[in-house]
Amino acid sequence: MTEFVPPGTRYIDLPSPFPMRRGGELRGARMAYETWGTLSPSRDNALLIVTGLSPDAHAAANEGNPAPGWWEPMVGPGKPIDTRRWYVICVNSLGSCKGSTGPASIKPGTHEPYRLDFPQLSIEDGAEAAVHVVRALGVDQLACLVGNSMGGMTALAMLVRHPGIARTHVNISGAAKALPFSIAIRSLQREAIRLDPNWNEGRYEEDSYPESGMRMARKLGVITYRSALEWDGRFGRVRLDSDRADEEPFGLEFEVESYLEAHARRFVRRFDPNCYLYLSRSMDWFDLGDYCLEHGIDREADTRAGLASIKVEKALVLGAETDILFPLQQQREIAEGLRAGGAEAIFVPMPSPQGHDAFLVDFERFGPAVADFLSTL
Amino acid sequence: MTEFVPPGTRYIDLPSPFPMRRGGELRGARMAYETWGTLSPSRDNALLIVTGLSPDAHAAANEGNPAPGWWEPMVGPGKPIDTRRWYVICVNSLGSCKGSTGPASIKPGTHEPYRLDFPQLSIEDGAEAAVHVVRALGVDQLACLVGNSMGGMTALAMLVRHPGIARTHVNISGAAKALPFSIAIRSLQREAIRLDPNWNEGRYEEDSYPESGMRMARKLGVITYRSALEWDGRFGRVRLDSDRADEEPFGLEFEVESYLEAHARRFVRRFDPNCYLYLSRSMDWFDLGDYCLEHGIDREADTRAGLASIKVEKALVLGAETDILFPLQQQREIAEGLRAGGAEAIFVPMPSPQGHDAFLVDFERFGPAVADFLSTL
């Protein structure tokens, strides 16, 4: 599955064995990462980015890979995350197929991918693996920990499990736990993949990739990543030109359908279906309140108590008003919880029309907000 | 496909041939309907209900069928639509599989269902067929025309094409045109059915019903019919008891997943997939502004002008604030458009948490609103 990994990706071995939270362990596992800028002699300028479900570690162009990254307008010299000042690290999530060990990686002692033999993956496992990368790069405390979407969950798990790992925190379109609407959407995406006969309980090959299941999952993703408001203005009821219209019965007819199709085509075969299933489910399982269970503080998961147990000096929490997958109330909850824990936490709801994906496109709003926050550090 | 039709259903033949708006015609077609109450000697107390995608004509218990109907708390003696006063008619939509002629009906001259040989179906065809039923029952003018969801589209098409067909109008969670978010959702539902190998371009049989496609389509429907807000309160992050949990990899684990599964089970095999595809697409195509094109008023569809061309005395427009499929702005647009046409139109946004389905469950809010309106007639 090396075709998924961008050139210039670097690796750090995880401890072997690497125990997994829900049972089992990994042997010979590693994390893919990239960096930008230079670690200061006092090692106090490190900023880690933990990502959403699908991105690789290539957030922006760097010496190892001059191609633009998935967050190019945000990371670089003079950009909101200014690499002249910050030593920026971005990791590919544990369980992904873009360099870090996951279900598509070769299972030690075999010549086959793990597939469904990969142990159950939780957000907390990704957090532990990211903390290991930080330490291995010689950083005791991050100046700032930035998490987007699923990465917002990972960041909170890092903070709750490793007090002092970061001095400040930026949480963008994240959540302290999965809500049932989001669980329902992700469950349906997984069902689409599982129903594809090619999935075959994870035993697909290159020539039997479960393309239609992944296409459905991605389309449903794109629908919930954006917003109805944006699409009203962007697509309206515009039809495809007759030469682009689909001859199949009930085929594509409207621009919005063609947009979904194009998105699905770009995604399918560039992401491993088993990795998708594992990462998707890890989000459903996530509740920061599990901290209370694990520490015997309470018999029930208490998300608020989990948040309030986090100690950071300052935090910036951003979200889009039109986000239906990680709705704004969840970012408000994070800000309030961090404040209850003593942080100076700023909550900035963005009127972006682009929904959950706003942080990947609405740089006019998200850029200055992040830049302003970092300039106060 | 007679198993879909409730007992006590009555029928009215459509003119033969019955021309279809987008081309082709039906021969020997008929409409299924039920009635409640008695038509007054002056024939001025008729109230017609046109429905959403899936309901049959059995809105409530009556002499022909004492079983509760899909809108039982709304229709009956002393209920909001009081059958002691009103002669209530409910039609099954043209193109459905619950009695009215549709793709699952036998194609004349053959022993086979129409399947994809059924002509393209538009909301306007359903409107023409419903008008025919009204006339055939001896009613020149309805005292009130009530349309829910897709039926809200059908009702508007009836009113624009047949001035005077109704004196007043109740539009519930309806829309004057399909917006791109809703088109995207429905397109994905149709794709799920089309991707099911059993669909086989519509040539399935009883023992090769495209069950997994219909299950996916229904689950996506249920997700968009309800709201995140309702589910937070109703399901939270509650897990299934271990004896109900699913042993399959990535199987059901949360209550919300089990809820979707139960809904899908109740729907699958009780609705014909081809009928679903036809009705679903008819909604995407709908724009009341096409009236302007057809009448040479404008070169582009002008939804507002279409609404303002409708002449009714009074209208009540209801919607749920949490509806993501037919969002509240669409009901506001209907009320404003009808008002521009001279109607005394009341717009009542409901704070119901149940989303698009609120009119089927939140009778405490929708019941009194409808009853109050009808009491002013």
Side-chain angles (χ1 to χ4, degrees), chain A residues 178 180-181 187-188 191 194 201 215 219 231-232 236-237 248-250 253-254 257 284-286 329, chain B residues 178 180 187-188 191 194 201 215 219 223 231-232 236-237 239 248-250 253-254 257 284-286 329:
Chain A
F181 180 83
S187 174
L188 201 55
E191 186 166 352
R194 293 161 56 211
E201 301 227 325
R215 173 189 304 266
K219 286 188 177 182
W231 286 4
D232 289 351
R237 293 182 46 77
E248 292 292 306
F250 302 98
E253 180 174 339
F254 290 92
E257 295 177 282
D284 290 1
W285 280 334
F286 185 63
Q329 75 204 67
Chain B
S187 175
L188 201 55
E191 187 167 350
R194 292 161 56 212
E201 301 227 323
R215 174 189 303 267
K219 285 188 178 183
I223 288 174
W231 286 3
D232 289 351
R237 293 181 48 73
R239 254 84 166 185
E248 292 292 306
F250 302 98
E253 179 174 340
F254 289 93
E257 295 177 282
D284 290 2
W285 280 334
F286 184 64
Q329 75 203 67

Side-chain angles (χ1 to χ4, degrees), chain A residues 38-335:
Chain A
T38 309
L39 185 60
S40 64
S42 55
R43 299 167 181 253
D44 64 353
N45 71 330
L47 182 153
L48 174 71
I49 300 168
V50 279
T51 80
L53 186 153
S54 54
D56 51 38
H58 190 59
N62 53 14
E63 286 172 12
N65 180 2
W70 57 265
W71 222 19
E72 189 67 33
M74 290 294 282
V75 180
K79 292 182 180 171
I81 299 176
D82 192 338
T83 52
R84 294 172 309 195
R85 179 177 177 199
W86 305 107
Y87 172 60
V88 178
I89 311 160
C90 182
V91 292
N92 178 232
S93 308
L94 184 69
S96 173
C97 54
K98 301 199 169 172
S100 294
T101 298
S105 306
I106 296 298
K107 183 180 176 185
T110 77
H111 298 283
E112 279 289 306
Y114 278 101
R115 307 183 188 276
L116 302 198
D117 285 344
F118 199 78
Q120 292 189 346
L121 177 75
S122 68
I123 291 290
E124 288 81 354
D125 299 316
E128 291 302 317
V131 167
H132 181 79
V133 172
V134 171
R135 303 265 194 247
L137 292 173
V139 175
D140 283 333
Q141 183 177 54
L142 293 161
C144 188
L145 170 57
V146 179
N148 303 323
S149 184
M150 181 184 87
M153 294 175 160
T154 309
L156 292 174
M158 291 172 70
L159 293 168
V160 87
R161 297 164 74 91
H162 294 274
I165 188 69
R167 198 156 64 79
T168 71
H169 174 42
V170 176
N171 199 299
I172 303 181
S173 301
K177 70 176 168 205
L179 293 177
F181 180 83
S182 316
I183 292 173
I185 293 283
R186 284 191 291 261
S187 174
L188 201 55
Q189 291 175 304
R190 294 193 297 270
E191 186 166 352
I193 296 169
R194 293 161 56 211
L195 281 174
D196 187 326
N198 276 358
W199 180 61
N200 189 24
E201 301 227 325
R203 291 183 298 272
Y204 48 84
E205 300 292 344
E206 187 72 26
D207 58 358
S208 61
Y209 181 100
E211 189 163 324
S212 63
M214 283 294 276
R215 173 189 304 266
M216 286 288 297
R218 181 60 171 177
K219 286 188 177 182
L220 181 52
V222 173
I223 288 174
T224 55
Y225 297 156
R226 310 301 287 217
S227 89
L229 178 68
E230 182 202 19
W231 286 4
D232 289 351
R234 187 165 167 187
F235 303 113
R237 293 182 46 77
V238 175
R239 254 83 166 184
L240 294 173
D241 301 333
S242 55
D243 58 329
R244 286 169 64 213
D246 190 343
E247 295 297 311
E248 292 292 306
F250 302 98
L252 309 184
E253 180 174 339
F254 290 92
E255 281 283 353
V256 67
E257 295 177 282
S258 170
Y259 165 82
L260 288 179
E261 183 68 21
H263 261 281
R265 276 202 195 134
R266 280 201 298 275
F267 187 72
V268 162
R269 294 193 175 273
R270 291 188 200 169
F271 208 90
D272 176 74
N274 291 334
C275 293
Y276 192 92
L277 292 170
Y278 272 83
L279 288 165
S280 165
R281 194 177 47 174
S282 77
M283 280 188 270
D284 290 1
W285 280 334
F286 185 63
D287 184 349
L288 194 68
D290 287 352
Y291 163 88
C292 301
L293 297 173
E294 290 173 0
H295 289 72
I297 296 170
D298 201 341
R299 284 188 203 174
E300 289 191 2
D302 182 338
T303 313
R304 171 91 177 184
L307 282 165
S309 75
I310 289 174
K311 301 298 169 200
V312 287
E313 290 173 21
K314 285 182 167 192
L316 171 68
V317 188
L318 301 177
E321 288 170 2
T322 49
D323 190 339
I324 57 173
L325 200 59
F326 286 67
L328 201 60
Q329 75 204 67
Q330 298 207 276
Q331 290 95 58
R332 185 179 294 114
E333 178 183 46
I334 293 171

Side-chain angles (χ1 to χ4, degrees), chain B residues 24-76:
Chain B
E25 58 190 28
L26 299 177
R27 289 182 181 271
R30 62 184 191 172
M31 289 288 282
Y33 75 102
E34 294 193 24
T35 66
W36 298 257
T38 309
L39 185 60
S40 63
S42 54
R43 299 169 182 253
D44 63 354
N45 70 331
L47 181 152
L48 174 71
I49 300 168
V50 279
T51 80
L53 186 153
S54 53
D56 50 38
H58 189 59
N62 54 13
E63 286 173 13
N65 180 2
W70 57 266
W71 223 18
E72 187 67 34
M74 290 294 283
V75 180

